[in-house]
Amino acid sequence: MRLIALRPVLYLAHQYSVGDQLPVNNPGMTEAWIEAGSAEWREDVESNSLPKAIPTTAIAGQMGMTDSGTEDSIAGRVPVTPERKKPAARKKTTARKKKA
């Protein structure tokens, strides 16, 4: 069980944001936060069960006129083509012993 802030909390010169774990070293303050609705007890969540983040940023580069004359492509970026893909990794073979 963890005590989680539901509102911003300033305690002992430290600002806790919403969702941060609050210290439980002072039972009086812990009760006050719960009664005021500033914090609540939550069960620990396993890190494996959390959803993975999906990046949503744009591709690096600058939109503009390129050498080929197109305006909708990204200038200064190498285009992604099948020819530029990395070849499949080779299987490692064990060294053969020479017969004498």
Side-chain angles (χ1 to χ4, degrees):
M1 296 281 289
R2 300 183 320 159
L3 187 64
I4 303 297
L6 300 177
R7 295 188 185 116
V9 174
L10 178 63
Y11 179 64
L12 296 176
H14 187 277
Q15 182 71 41
Y16 296 93
S17 299
V18 175
D20 287 349
Q21 182 176 354
L22 295 172
V24 292
N25 58 351
N26 186 342
M29 286 304 298
T30 301
E31 279 300 315
W33 289 328
I34 292 171
E35 287 177 19
S38 298
E40 72 177 2
W41 290 104
R42 291 195 183 160
E43 294 289 329
D44 290 334
V45 178
E46 293 293 326
S47 61
N48 294 340
S49 65
L50 296 176
K52 301 258 180 183
I54 299 172
T56 58
T57 58
I59 297 174
Q62 180 178 357
M63 296 298 287
M65 184 68 77
T66 61
D67 293 338
S68 62
T70 59
E71 290 185 26
D72 59 338
S73 60
I74 298 177
R77 181 170 172 84
V78 178
V80 179
T81 60
E83 292 82 17
R84 295 194 57 82
K85 288 191 177 186
K86 291 183 179 179
R90 289 193 220 169
K91 276 189 168 181
K92 291 184 179 180
T93 58
T94 58
R96 296 182 183 177
K97 295 182 182 178
K98 292 183 179 180
K99 292 184 179 180

